[in-house]
Amino acid sequence: MKLTKILALLFFLTLTFSSCQNDNVVDRKQNFDNGWKFHLGDIPEASNFDFDDSSWRSLDLPHDWSIEGTVDVSNPSGNDGGYFPTGIAWYRKSFIIPEDYNGKLINIHFEGIYMNSEVFINGKSLGIYPYGYSPFSYDLTKYLHIGEENIISIKVDNSKQKNSRWYTGSGIYRHVWLEVTNPTHIDHWGVFITTPKVTSTKADVLIKTKIKNGTDTSKDILVSYSLFDQNHNSIGNLQSNINLKPNSFKEIAQSYTINNPNLWSPESPFLYTAEIALKADDETIDQTTTVFGIRTIEFTSENGFLLNGKETILNGGCVHHDNGCLGAASYDRAEERKVELLKQAGFNAVRTAHNIPSEAFLEACDRLGLLVIDEAFDGWKEMKTTFTPIEHDYASLFDKWWKTDLQAMVKRDKNHPSIIMWSIGNEIIERTKPEAVETARMLSSAVKELDSTRPVTSAMTSWNQGWEIFDPLMAEHDICGYNYMLHEAKSDHDRVPSRVIMQTESYPKDAFFCWDLVSSNPYIIGDFVWTAIDYLGESGIGRWYYSGEVPGEHWERDLFPWHASYCGDIDLMGIRKPISHYRDMLYNDHEKLYMAVREPNPLPVKIQTTMWGNWPTWESWTWPEQDGKMIEVEVYSKYEKVRLYLNDTLMDEKTTNRQSEYKAIFEIPYQPGTLKAVGVQENKEKETKTLMTAGNPKKLKLTADRKVINANRQDLVYISIEVTDQNGIINPNTQNLLQFEIEGPGIIAGVDNGDIKDTSPYVSNSGRAFCGRALVILKSTDEEGTIKLNVTSENLETSSIQIVSQTSVK
């Protein structure tokens, strides 16, 4: 056996034995991400046990091979997939199941593989799972060689293009787990915790637990429950005695009252934990932990959305699953940071467009406080990828797989307090047909069969098909999602007064219009902008362009080298655009003044915007070609008035209020120096925002989002790079080529600059700045130590930053 394989096996055994708690119970959920072999291309023989994979690349999961490839106009994923490569690939892993596991049940659980995965264990095919976003499991038990080497082989086929309207990534892009239990155990996803009655003084907690007896004899089982608050203080204990017949399931329910509960909300995301254990003959045979929150939700046309009895407006954003330069790879830190960015931008809600999100994303929403619409599909029975003559999108899978995939979402996610709705679809092609009504009823029933505590919605739009024609379809939903149709809400309310409405997608430029309707009409519970964060694929949506360039919208033609969206409030690096500050100001009170500058028309050429686009507007007062020319300054303000100063000279004063849409636009002649906006309340200057003209680029400023990370081969640190002048002011007109060098126990996981026309590799040791900025993401290894990133560029001072990588970082 190869030395590297032996080391991998020893590493797995170390993890396994260290997880043992006693002879009967082991850690039932064991991470299986490390130590895989990968080959890009189809080798059917790779399913065989004795296939030689010694020449294959070694890697850890999660992994997306598309992001590692070259963006090329000839790639079959096309504009929708961001022109990234797809294809077929194989993964293999060697592992040993220890003798102690003899008699136990061993499952392998995949959080998501994109797509059409076929899993083999020791040469035996376990099945094909087509949908790339669903979690699924296989029972390995009877195929394993206990105490000997086992080989798992996985074929991933993303060659059938196009199969999506956005970037999907390719590969085993989410976590993989081994699940080890005794034959008598708590079923997978078998715990469901609800709070049927909640007041300010007490909450009734109902815990349903599904238990399986996989033996040929009856079992007397003691089920014990221990409840803890988020500080791990014990708040209660319960016990139930049950008898399980041979080879049977039984669901038991247990109630407990928590006094003076801490209610979960975006402002205070308090979490509780239930630890559930099974005992037989005074020995623990299984145990599991479930995190839950206590909160109430209510939706009516009279009072809108009530969270814990409080009227709450949904300031939401739609988000695709990719993580920018990491592609689809679902690292826990990347998912957590995505939620942090949304919270920092003022959002209180997210719609997981248009697919089941990662577990890590939802866990971060619970922990950090972000409301969620959990969405299953982009389409139902009729194909949406109409640019191909053959169905490759979900329509080809719907009839066989819809219930499996939809219920997998509900079963997996039902305990997340952040989730307030289930979404069963988006802009369904057959939406005007009577059979769509039947499909919606079927999907809604399948959801409520598992969870009746949350409403069901989906997103609909007209695209010139009429609007009242959708009334029968909307009647099958608890909440009616409108895509770009909020202007119909008032007349719809007159026609159907009981309808609860939210806008599930809106144009970014309509921020004030949507906020104005939402804040004035309780039957409209919120707005979800398309989109909150830029994403790969759907290339060119939200772009602007100059007269003389290729015109039109993203769906009309290829717009290469555009390979991503630009309609997000936040760009691919995580930088907030001016529209983000404006939207935040409309819905929230913590930001009251913001200033940016509209890019001037480079006459005789003129700037053109598209349907999802905004005028290019920048936090910059560095416009060297505009000396003496008139230039427009946008100020967003919640103050009564705004004064604008240029080099300490008052240029103008304007009123800002609801009638002005909380905006003031000044047109002034450009000259270098300091531009200052001042918020004025009762004739007193209260707050100031400034922009300063940058000098020649001289320095590189590096800033890390964290100084200490986990040495676990998974953790990430995001390091922003700014090209500045001698005084530390970003020069937005620089595109310096940057070189990256790593010292210590870390690797470069991705690089980016937010320029979605730059087709440079996202996995590289170099990259260009764009608008004076760039981003490097470093990933830890399993060694402790100091990671040092050195960044160099011609004619700039070299800069370095150090990150500590250590074990057991909270």
mmCIF file with all atom_site columns, all heavy atoms in Angstrom, residues 151-168:
data_model
loop_
_atom_site.group_PDB
_atom_site.id
_atom_site.type_symbol
_atom_site.label_atom_id
_atom_site.label_alt_id
_atom_site.label_comp_id
_atom_site.label_asym_id
_atom_site.label_entity_id
_atom_site.label_seq_id
_atom_site.pdbx_PDB_ins_code
_atom_site.Cartn_x
_atom_site.Cartn_y
_atom_site.Cartn_z
_atom_site.occupancy
_atom_site.B_iso_or_equiv
_atom_site.pdbx_formal_charge
_atom_site.auth_seq_id
_atom_site.auth_comp_id
_atom_site.auth_asym_id
_atom_site.auth_atom_id
_atom_site.pdbx_PDB_model_num
ATOM 1   N N   . ILE A 1 151 ? -13.083 1.289  -0.362  1.00 0.00 ? 151 ILE A N   1
ATOM 2   C CA  . ILE A 1 151 ? -12.940 2.340  -1.366  1.00 0.00 ? 151 ILE A CA  1
ATOM 3   C C   . ILE A 1 151 ? -14.315 2.870  -1.727  1.00 0.00 ? 151 ILE A C   1
ATOM 4   O O   . ILE A 1 151 ? -15.203 2.099  -2.128  1.00 0.00 ? 151 ILE A O   1
ATOM 5   C CB  . ILE A 1 151 ? -12.251 1.823  -2.646  1.00 0.00 ? 151 ILE A CB  1
ATOM 6   C CG1 . ILE A 1 151 ? -10.845 1.311  -2.346  1.00 0.00 ? 151 ILE A CG1 1
ATOM 7   C CG2 . ILE A 1 151 ? -12.217 2.939  -3.699  1.00 0.00 ? 151 ILE A CG2 1
ATOM 8   C CD1 . ILE A 1 151 ? -9.847  2.390  -1.969  1.00 0.00 ? 151 ILE A CD1 1
ATOM 9   N N   . ILE A 1 152 ? -14.498 4.172  -1.575  1.00 0.00 ? 152 ILE A N   1
ATOM 10  C CA  . ILE A 1 152 ? -15.699 4.813  -2.081  1.00 0.00 ? 152 ILE A CA  1
ATOM 11  C C   . ILE A 1 152 ? -15.317 5.601  -3.325  1.00 0.00 ? 152 ILE A C   1
ATOM 12  O O   . ILE A 1 152 ? -14.298 6.310  -3.347  1.00 0.00 ? 152 ILE A O   1
ATOM 13  C CB  . ILE A 1 152 ? -16.369 5.711  -1.019  1.00 0.00 ? 152 ILE A CB  1
ATOM 14  C CG1 . ILE A 1 152 ? -17.733 6.189  -1.524  1.00 0.00 ? 152 ILE A CG1 1
ATOM 15  C CG2 . ILE A 1 152 ? -15.496 6.883  -0.598  1.00 0.00 ? 152 ILE A CG2 1
ATOM 16  C CD1 . ILE A 1 152 ? -18.632 6.719  -0.431  1.00 0.00 ? 152 ILE A CD1 1
ATOM 17  N N   . SER A 1 153 ? -16.083 5.428  -4.393  1.00 0.00 ? 153 SER A N   1
ATOM 18  C CA  . SER A 1 153 ? -15.843 6.092  -5.675  1.00 0.00 ? 153 SER A CA  1
ATOM 19  C C   . SER A 1 153 ? -17.109 6.824  -6.074  1.00 0.00 ? 153 SER A C   1
ATOM 20  O O   . SER A 1 153 ? -18.217 6.288  -5.929  1.00 0.00 ? 153 SER A O   1
ATOM 21  C CB  . SER A 1 153 ? -15.483 5.073  -6.761  1.00 0.00 ? 153 SER A CB  1
ATOM 22  O OG  . SER A 1 153 ? -14.433 4.231  -6.359  1.00 0.00 ? 153 SER A OG  1
ATOM 23  N N   . ILE A 1 154 ? -16.956 8.035  -6.582  1.00 0.00 ? 154 ILE A N   1
ATOM 24  C CA  . ILE A 1 154 ? -18.124 8.847  -6.934  1.00 0.00 ? 154 ILE A CA  1
ATOM 25  C C   . ILE A 1 154 ? -17.912 9.477  -8.302  1.00 0.00 ? 154 ILE A C   1
ATOM 26  O O   . ILE A 1 154 ? -16.930 10.197 -8.529  1.00 0.00 ? 154 ILE A O   1
ATOM 27  C CB  . ILE A 1 154 ? -18.377 9.940  -5.884  1.00 0.00 ? 154 ILE A CB  1
ATOM 28  C CG1 . ILE A 1 154 ? -18.555 9.319  -4.503  1.00 0.00 ? 154 ILE A CG1 1
ATOM 29  C CG2 . ILE A 1 154 ? -19.609 10.765 -6.264  1.00 0.00 ? 154 ILE A CG2 1
ATOM 30  C CD1 . ILE A 1 154 ? -18.641 10.327 -3.379  1.00 0.00 ? 154 ILE A CD1 1
ATOM 31  N N   . LYS A 1 155 ? -18.821 9.194  -9.194  1.00 0.00 ? 155 LYS A N   1
ATOM 32  C CA  . LYS A 1 155 ? -18.840 9.854  -10.492 1.00 0.00 ? 155 LYS A CA  1
ATOM 33  C C   . LYS A 1 155 ? -19.781 11.047 -10.429 1.00 0.00 ? 155 LYS A C   1
ATOM 34  O O   . LYS A 1 155 ? -20.923 10.931 -9.950  1.00 0.00 ? 155 LYS A O   1
ATOM 35  C CB  . LYS A 1 155 ? -19.310 8.890  -11.582 1.00 0.00 ? 155 LYS A CB  1
ATOM 36  C CG  . LYS A 1 155 ? -19.409 9.513  -12.971 1.00 0.00 ? 155 LYS A CG  1
ATOM 37  C CD  . LYS A 1 155 ? -19.966 8.517  -13.981 1.00 0.00 ? 155 LYS A CD  1
ATOM 38  C CE  . LYS A 1 155 ? -20.117 9.163  -15.360 1.00 0.00 ? 155 LYS A CE  1
ATOM 39  N NZ  . LYS A 1 155 ? -20.683 8.196  -16.357 1.00 0.00 ? 155 LYS A NZ  1
ATOM 40  N N   . VAL A 1 156 ? -19.312 12.182 -10.891 1.00 0.00 ? 156 VAL A N   1
ATOM 41  C CA  . VAL A 1 156 ? -20.137 13.397 -10.918 1.00 0.00 ? 156 VAL A CA  1
ATOM 42  C C   . VAL A 1 156 ? -20.236 13.855 -12.371 1.00 0.00 ? 156 VAL A C   1
ATOM 43  O O   . VAL A 1 156 ? -19.207 14.096 -13.021 1.00 0.00 ? 156 VAL A O   1
ATOM 44  C CB  . VAL A 1 156 ? -19.535 14.514 -10.044 1.00 0.00 ? 156 VAL A CB  1
ATOM 45  C CG1 . VAL A 1 156 ? -20.451 15.725 -10.045 1.00 0.00 ? 156 VAL A CG1 1
ATOM 46  C CG2 . VAL A 1 156 ? -19.300 14.017 -8.626  1.00 0.00 ? 156 VAL A CG2 1
ATOM 47  N N   . ASP A 1 157 ? -21.457 13.971 -12.862 1.00 0.00 ? 157 ASP A N   1
ATOM 48  C CA  . ASP A 1 157 ? -21.678 14.276 -14.281 1.00 0.00 ? 157 ASP A CA  1
ATOM 49  C C   . ASP A 1 157 ? -22.438 15.595 -14.416 1.00 0.00 ? 157 ASP A C   1
ATOM 50  O O   . ASP A 1 157 ? -23.653 15.657 -14.232 1.00 0.00 ? 157 ASP A O   1
ATOM 51  C CB  . ASP A 1 157 ? -22.469 13.141 -14.936 1.00 0.00 ? 157 ASP A CB  1
ATOM 52  C CG  . ASP A 1 157 ? -22.625 13.330 -16.442 1.00 0.00 ? 157 ASP A CG  1
ATOM 53  O OD1 . ASP A 1 157 ? -22.253 14.403 -16.962 1.00 0.00 ? 157 ASP A OD1 1
ATOM 54  O OD2 . ASP A 1 157 ? -23.130 12.399 -17.105 1.00 0.00 ? 157 ASP A OD2 1
ATOM 55  N N   . ASN A 1 158 ? -21.700 16.648 -14.712 1.00 0.00 ? 158 ASN A N   1
ATOM 56  C CA  . ASN A 1 158 ? -22.312 17.956 -14.997 1.00 0.00 ? 158 ASN A CA  1
ATOM 57  C C   . ASN A 1 158 ? -22.068 18.328 -16.454 1.00 0.00 ? 158 ASN A C   1
ATOM 58  O O   . ASN A 1 158 ? -21.894 19.489 -16.792 1.00 0.00 ? 158 ASN A O   1
ATOM 59  C CB  . ASN A 1 158 ? -21.733 19.034 -14.072 1.00 0.00 ? 158 ASN A CB  1
ATOM 60  C CG  . ASN A 1 158 ? -22.559 20.310 -14.084 1.00 0.00 ? 158 ASN A CG  1
ATOM 61  O OD1 . ASN A 1 158 ? -23.731 20.301 -14.477 1.00 0.00 ? 158 ASN A OD1 1
ATOM 62  N ND2 . ASN A 1 158 ? -21.965 21.417 -13.675 1.00 0.00 ? 158 ASN A ND2 1
ATOM 63  N N   . SER A 1 159 ? -22.048 17.314 -17.311 1.00 0.00 ? 159 SER A N   1
ATOM 64  C CA  . SER A 1 159 ? -21.731 17.542 -18.728 1.00 0.00 ? 159 SER A CA  1
ATOM 65  C C   . SER A 1 159 ? -22.946 17.943 -19.546 1.00 0.00 ? 159 SER A C   1
ATOM 66  O O   . SER A 1 159 ? -22.789 18.502 -20.639 1.00 0.00 ? 159 SER A O   1
ATOM 67  C CB  . SER A 1 159 ? -21.107 16.279 -19.326 1.00 0.00 ? 159 SER A CB  1
ATOM 68  O OG  . SER A 1 159 ? -22.034 15.201 -19.316 1.00 0.00 ? 159 SER A OG  1
ATOM 69  N N   . LYS A 1 160 ? -24.120 17.656 -19.059 1.00 0.00 ? 160 LYS A N   1
ATOM 70  C CA  . LYS A 1 160 ? -25.330 17.918 -19.843 1.00 0.00 ? 160 LYS A CA  1
ATOM 71  C C   . LYS A 1 160 ? -25.713 19.379 -19.672 1.00 0.00 ? 160 LYS A C   1
ATOM 72  O O   . LYS A 1 160 ? -26.344 19.769 -18.698 1.00 0.00 ? 160 LYS A O   1
ATOM 73  C CB  . LYS A 1 160 ? -26.448 16.975 -19.409 1.00 0.00 ? 160 LYS A CB  1
ATOM 74  C CG  . LYS A 1 160 ? -26.118 15.499 -19.641 1.00 0.00 ? 160 LYS A CG  1
ATOM 75  C CD  . LYS A 1 160 ? -27.203 14.588 -19.089 1.00 0.00 ? 160 LYS A CD  1
ATOM 76  C CE  . LYS A 1 160 ? -26.873 13.126 -19.362 1.00 0.00 ? 160 LYS A CE  1
ATOM 77  N NZ  . LYS A 1 160 ? -25.630 12.698 -18.681 1.00 0.00 ? 160 LYS A NZ  1
ATOM 78  N N   . GLN A 1 161 ? -25.347 20.188 -20.615 1.00 0.00 ? 161 GLN A N   1
ATOM 79  C CA  . GLN A 1 161 ? -25.517 21.633 -20.544 1.00 0.00 ? 161 GLN A CA  1
ATOM 80  C C   . GLN A 1 161 ? -26.455 22.122 -21.642 1.00 0.00 ? 161 GLN A C   1
ATOM 81  O O   . GLN A 1 161 ? -26.524 21.531 -22.713 1.00 0.00 ? 161 GLN A O   1
ATOM 82  C CB  . GLN A 1 161 ? -24.152 22.311 -20.680 1.00 0.00 ? 161 GLN A CB  1
ATOM 83  C CG  . GLN A 1 161 ? -23.187 22.013 -19.545 1.00 0.00 ? 161 GLN A CG  1
ATOM 84  C CD  . GLN A 1 161 ? -23.629 22.620 -18.231 1.00 0.00 ? 161 GLN A CD  1
ATOM 85  O OE1 . GLN A 1 161 ? -24.194 23.709 -18.198 1.00 0.00 ? 161 GLN A OE1 1
ATOM 86  N NE2 . GLN A 1 161 ? -23.384 21.895 -17.143 1.00 0.00 ? 161 GLN A NE2 1
ATOM 87  N N   . LYS A 1 162 ? -27.209 23.187 -21.347 1.00 0.00 ? 162 LYS A N   1
ATOM 88  C CA  . LYS A 1 162 ? -27.262 23.919 -20.092 1.00 0.00 ? 162 LYS A CA  1
ATOM 89  C C   . LYS A 1 162 ? -28.311 23.288 -19.189 1.00 0.00 ? 162 LYS A C   1
ATOM 90  O O   . LYS A 1 162 ? -29.365 22.874 -19.664 1.00 0.00 ? 162 LYS A O   1
ATOM 91  C CB  . LYS A 1 162 ? -27.612 25.382 -20.321 1.00 0.00 ? 162 LYS A CB  1
ATOM 92  C CG  . LYS A 1 162 ? -26.611 26.137 -21.183 1.00 0.00 ? 162 LYS A CG  1
ATOM 93  C CD  . LYS A 1 162 ? -27.103 27.567 -21.407 1.00 0.00 ? 162 LYS A CD  1
ATOM 94  C CE  . LYS A 1 162 ? -26.113 28.368 -22.268 1.00 0.00 ? 162 LYS A CE  1
ATOM 95  N NZ  . LYS A 1 162 ? -26.598 29.758 -22.466 1.00 0.00 ? 162 LYS A NZ  1
ATOM 96  N N   . ASN A 1 163 ? -28.030 23.271 -17.881 1.00 0.00 ? 163 ASN A N   1
ATOM 97  C CA  . ASN A 1 163 ? -29.011 22.724 -16.947 1.00 0.00 ? 163 ASN A CA  1
ATOM 98  C C   . ASN A 1 163 ? -29.427 23.728 -15.882 1.00 0.00 ? 163 ASN A C   1
ATOM 99  O O   . ASN A 1 163 ? -30.122 23.369 -14.935 1.00 0.00 ? 163 ASN A O   1
ATOM 100 C CB  . ASN A 1 163 ? -28.480 21.438 -16.313 1.00 0.00 ? 163 ASN A CB  1
ATOM 101 C CG  . ASN A 1 163 ? -27.159 21.616 -15.590 1.00 0.00 ? 163 ASN A CG  1
ATOM 102 O OD1 . ASN A 1 163 ? -27.002 22.539 -14.799 1.00 0.00 ? 163 ASN A OD1 1
ATOM 103 N ND2 . ASN A 1 163 ? -26.203 20.733 -15.858 1.00 0.00 ? 163 ASN A ND2 1
ATOM 104 N N   . SER A 1 164 ? -28.989 24.979 -16.018 1.00 0.00 ? 164 SER A N   1
ATOM 105 C CA  . SER A 1 164 ? -29.329 25.991 -15.020 1.00 0.00 ? 164 SER A CA  1
ATOM 106 C C   . SER A 1 164 ? -29.242 27.363 -15.659 1.00 0.00 ? 164 SER A C   1
ATOM 107 O O   . SER A 1 164 ? -28.602 27.543 -16.699 1.00 0.00 ? 164 SER A O   1
ATOM 108 C CB  . SER A 1 164 ? -28.364 25.902 -13.833 1.00 0.00 ? 164 SER A CB  1
ATOM 109 O OG  . SER A 1 164 ? -28.663 26.891 -12.873 1.00 0.00 ? 164 SER A OG  1
ATOM 110 N N   . ARG A 1 165 ? -29.879 28.335 -14.998 1.00 0.00 ? 165 ARG A N   1
ATOM 111 C CA  . ARG A 1 165 ? -29.836 29.720 -15.497 1.00 0.00 ? 165 ARG A CA  1
ATOM 112 C C   . ARG A 1 165 ? -28.807 30.564 -14.763 1.00 0.00 ? 165 ARG A C   1
ATOM 113 O O   . ARG A 1 165 ? -28.798 31.778 -14.905 1.00 0.00 ? 165 ARG A O   1
ATOM 114 C CB  . ARG A 1 165 ? -31.224 30.352 -15.370 1.00 0.00 ? 165 ARG A CB  1
ATOM 115 C CG  . ARG A 1 165 ? -32.287 29.629 -16.172 1.00 0.00 ? 165 ARG A CG  1
ATOM 116 C CD  . ARG A 1 165 ? -33.637 30.311 -16.131 1.00 0.00 ? 165 ARG A CD  1
ATOM 117 N NE  . ARG A 1 165 ? -34.130 30.453 -14.785 1.00 0.00 ? 165 ARG A NE  1
ATOM 118 C CZ  . ARG A 1 165 ? -34.395 31.637 -14.213 1.00 0.00 ? 165 ARG A CZ  1
ATOM 119 N NH1 . ARG A 1 165 ? -34.174 32.760 -14.866 1.00 0.00 ? 165 ARG A NH1 1
ATOM 120 N NH2 . ARG A 1 165 ? -34.869 31.688 -12.991 1.00 0.00 ? 165 ARG A NH2 1
ATOM 121 N N   . TRP A 1 166 ? -27.955 29.902 -13.961 1.00 0.00 ? 166 TRP A N   1
ATOM 122 C CA  . TRP A 1 166 ? -26.902 30.603 -13.233 1.00 0.00 ? 166 TRP A CA  1
ATOM 123 C C   . TRP A 1 166 ? -25.746 29.642 -13.015 1.00 0.00 ? 166 TRP A C   1
ATOM 124 O O   . TRP A 1 166 ? -25.822 28.460 -13.370 1.00 0.00 ? 166 TRP A O   1
ATOM 125 C CB  . TRP A 1 166 ? -27.432 31.148 -11.892 1.00 0.00 ? 166 TRP A CB  1
ATOM 126 C CG  . TRP A 1 166 ? -27.962 30.071 -10.992 1.00 0.00 ? 166 TRP A CG  1
ATOM 127 C CD1 . TRP A 1 166 ? -27.274 29.310 -10.100 1.00 0.00 ? 166 TRP A CD1 1
ATOM 128 C CD2 . TRP A 1 166 ? -29.318 29.595 -10.928 1.00 0.00 ? 166 TRP A CD2 1
ATOM 129 N NE1 . TRP A 1 166 ? -28.092 28.410 -9.480  1.00 0.00 ? 166 TRP A NE1 1
ATOM 130 C CE2 . TRP A 1 166 ? -29.359 28.550 -9.973  1.00 0.00 ? 166 TRP A CE2 1
ATOM 131 C CE3 . TRP A 1 166 ? -30.493 29.955 -11.582 1.00 0.00 ? 166 TRP A CE3 1
ATOM 132 C CZ2 . TRP A 1 166 ? -30.517 27.878 -9.663  1.00 0.00 ? 166 TRP A CZ2 1
ATOM 133 C CZ3 . TRP A 1 166 ? -31.649 29.269 -11.264 1.00 0.00 ? 166 TRP A CZ3 1
ATOM 134 C CH2 . TRP A 1 166 ? -31.669 28.259 -10.310 1.00 0.00 ? 166 TRP A CH2 1
ATOM 135 N N   . TYR A 1 167 ? -24.678 30.117 -12.405 1.00 0.00 ? 167 TYR A N   1
ATOM 136 C CA  . TYR A 1 167 ? -23.521 29.271 -12.125 1.00 0.00 ? 167 TYR A CA  1
ATOM 137 C C   . TYR A 1 167 ? -23.863 28.253 -11.046 1.00 0.00 ? 167 TYR A C   1
ATOM 138 O O   . TYR A 1 167 ? -24.381 28.604 -9.988  1.00 0.00 ? 167 TYR A O   1
ATOM 139 C CB  . TYR A 1 167 ? -22.349 30.137 -11.662 1.00 0.00 ? 167 TYR A CB  1
ATOM 140 C CG  . TYR A 1 167 ? -21.110 29.355 -11.265 1.00 0.00 ? 167 TYR A CG  1
ATOM 141 C CD1 . TYR A 1 167 ? -20.182 28.987 -12.220 1.00 0.00 ? 167 TYR A CD1 1
ATOM 142 C CD2 . TYR A 1 167 ? -20.888 28.991 -9.946  1.00 0.00 ? 167 TYR A CD2 1
ATOM 143 C CE1 . TYR A 1 167 ? -19.040 28.271 -11.860 1.00 0.00 ? 167 TYR A CE1 1
ATOM 144 C CE2 . TYR A 1 167 ? -19.762 28.275 -9.582  1.00 0.00 ? 167 TYR A CE2 1
ATOM 145 C CZ  . TYR A 1 167 ? -18.844 27.922 -10.542 1.00 0.00 ? 167 TYR A CZ  1
ATOM 146 O OH  . TYR A 1 167 ? -17.724 27.212 -10.181 1.00 0.00 ? 167 TYR A OH  1
ATOM 147 N N   . THR A 1 168 ? -23.550 26.996 -11.323 1.00 0.00 ? 168 THR A N   1
ATOM 148 C CA  . THR A 1 168 ? -23.856 25.939 -10.363 1.00 0.00 ? 168 THR A CA  1
ATOM 149 C C   . THR A 1 168 ? -22.618 25.409 -9.656  1.00 0.00 ? 168 THR A C   1
ATOM 150 O O   . THR A 1 168 ? -22.702 24.919 -8.531  1.00 0.00 ? 168 THR A O   1
ATOM 151 C CB  . THR A 1 168 ? -24.519 24.754 -11.074 1.00 0.00 ? 168 THR A CB  1
ATOM 152 O OG1 . THR A 1 168 ? -23.605 24.213 -12.044 1.00 0.00 ? 168 THR A OG1 1
ATOM 153 C CG2 . THR A 1 168 ? -25.800 25.185 -11.778 1.00 0.00 ? 168 THR A CG2 1
#
